[in-house]
Amino acid sequence: MFETIDSAPADAILGLTEAFKQDPNPKKINLGVGVYKDGGGQTPVLATVKEAEQRLLRSEETKSYLPIDGLAEYGKLSQQIVFGHEHTILRDARAATVQTPGGTGALRVAADFVRRIFPGATVWLSDPTWPNHPNVFGSAALQVQSYPYFEAETNGVAFDRMMAALETIPAGDVLLLHGCCHNPTGADLSSQQWQAVAALCAERGVLPLLDFAYQGFGDGLDEDASGVRIVADHCREFLVATSYSKNFGLYNERVGALTLVADSVEAADAANSHMKICVRTNYSNPPAHGGQIVAEVLGDPELRQRWEVELAEMRDRINDMRHLFVETLDEQGAGRDFSFIARQRGMFSYSGLTPHQVQALRVRHSVYIVGSGRINVAGMTEANMDYLCEAIADVLK
Ligand code: LMR
């Protein structure tokens, strides 16, 4: 039976890493997958993560299953970091959180939950968006549509066109919004724009689903949560998919969470019972280790404070690289205004390079970026900057 199967295309992002590994060029640079590199080009284990692991090694007494929805403490701490400690949602117990294998796992549980409860709902995605979004929702047999988001002329949000499209979304559909650090463009909504989008969702009865994978990588933990919190001010019901891959550097531990906010504690409990069925029928219950690390760090004021310093170092380095990239492109005679990159936030920016130029970068210079022209700024270092910008200037000629 298997002889008739044709190969599927490589993943638009993770497939690049496979090709990168095979490339013998010692100068090769991988700016495809969203993984943070320090100044030495490494993706380090954070010192606070190591410390938490040492504590766990000493204190852990069992490897027995976690509950279907994961560690209760982890869920509580995840809600606190998203909404802030004193938020009324927490006080009123209107939120339910399931621990998931990464942010992608959270999105898939959200997709299965929506399909289970609202089978006719369409999920609306920004154009462009993370290339895995349509696959995750499509795999859950949901309809997917897109709304305009990015404007190449200004390298910013096409807000008027976005709002015009959102005004046509029927009640009961799901609107996926990037909580901060939009992937792939790096262009985020302003506070005023968040207000308008959140008010529209509340008015029209559209369910916001916030993909919130980069908290702390833009301007700060609370600053980056401002969009999510504006949604919370306007909408009584919404979903948030969070990830600790980036801000804790816990990529391969697969640590994420899906938080559902309902109008009442009873509604949150009932919805949670269905989220748990989605988990049980998919991966049964989450892996423990990554969630335990996060709970250990966030639950200890001293460790948490040290983690926030480590997070700020990562954020500052990314923002420094944004400036250096713009300056070096200019020095190398790229001949285009790239200053918008310094104004954007998060790991990614849309470079504006065409698929042909992206291919030339890879073939001629062993520089790997996503076919859409998305560049992972967090993978740049002072050491690879000259080579990178020379290569980009070359393909722009
Ligand atoms: C990315 O967009 O590169 C990251 O979110 C990693 C992934 O899983 O694609």
Side-chain angles (χ1 to χ4, degrees), residues 13 32-34 130 183 214 246 348 374:
I13 295 174
V33 67
W130 183 49
N183 178 4
Y214 299 92
K246 325 286 166 165
F348 307 115
R374 184 192 87 169

Side-chain angles (χ1 to χ4, degrees), residues 3-193:
E3 280 163 15
T4 59
I5 301 175
D6 292 327
S7 296
D11 182 78
I13 295 174
L14 300 183
L16 280 180
T17 304
E18 290 165 27
F20 175 80
K21 283 189 181 147
Q22 310 285 326
D23 190 330
N25 184 347
K27 290 185 159 173
K28 64 185 177 178
I29 306 175
N30 185 4
L31 301 180
V33 67
V35 171
Y36 173 85
K37 300 263 172 58
D38 64 14
Q42 303 302 315
T43 304
V45 182
L46 300 187
T48 45
V49 166
K50 279 276 185 213
E51 159 100 34
E53 285 185 310
Q54 275 156 10
R55 291 186 190 179
L56 289 171
L57 198 61
R58 286 195 295 269
S59 64
E60 194 174 48
E61 281 172 352
T62 179
K63 294 283 186 191
S64 182
Y65 294 121
L66 290 188
I68 294 173
D69 48 359
L71 287 167
E73 190 58 14
Y74 171 90
K76 198 175 99 197
L77 291 162
S78 293
Q79 292 179 12
Q80 284 175 0
I81 200 161
V82 171
F83 299 115
H85 279 249
E86 307 296 329
H87 203 282
T88 54
I89 289 176
L90 276 66
R91 203 191 54 214
D92 299 344
R94 290 196 292 118
T97 297
V98 293
Q99 180 184 337
T100 57
T104 310
L107 290 169
R108 181 58 199 248
V109 175
D112 287 340
F113 171 80
V114 169
R115 170 74 192 169
R116 182 178 171 84
I117 308 290
F118 314 110
T122 292
V123 180
W124 292 77
L125 304 173
S126 65
D127 177 20
T129 195
W130 183 49
N132 207 24
H133 275 150
N135 305 336
V136 169
F137 295 104
S139 294
L142 286 166
Q143 295 299 317
V144 173
Q145 294 237 31
S146 61
Y147 60 89
Y149 185 79
F150 187 69
E151 196 158 65
E153 304 77 53
T154 58
N155 291 293
V157 179
F159 191 65
D160 291 345
R161 285 196 291 128
M162 171 177 172
M163 286 302 278
L166 300 193
E167 270 157 22
T168 69
I169 298 184
D173 276 1
V174 176
L175 175 64
L176 190 137
L177 298 160
H178 298 227
C180 68
C181 306
H182 184 267
N183 178 4
T185 66
D188 285 332
L189 298 176
S190 67
S191 293
Q192 250 182 347
Q193 291 171 335

Side-chain angles (χ1 to χ4, degrees), residues 233-313:
D233 290 342
H234 288 264
C235 304
R236 296 287 292 178
E237 299 179 332
F238 57 97
L239 297 159
V240 189
T242 48
S243 167
Y244 296 105
S245 295
K246 325 286 166 165
N247 54 16
F248 270 82
L250 283 169
Y251 305 89
N252 67 12
E253 297 293 353
R254 312 306 300 136
V255 205
L258 177 66
T259 297
L260 175 145
V261 177
D263 195 33
S264 65
V265 61
E266 294 78 19
D269 284 348
N272 194 27
S273 69
H274 289 275
M275 291 202 295
K276 282 163 67 177
I277 290 174
C278 298
V279 169
R280 178 65 173 146
T281 53
N282 189 344
Y283 54 88
S284 192
N285 48 70
H289 187 64
Q292 285 171 328
I293 294 169
V294 170
E296 186 70 34
V297 174
L298 293 183
D300 176 329
E302 188 264 332
L303 210 50
R304 175 176 168 141
Q305 205 257 330
R306 276 166 49 205
W307 165 69
E308 287 193 28
V309 172
E310 291 190 284
L311 176 59
E313 277 167 17

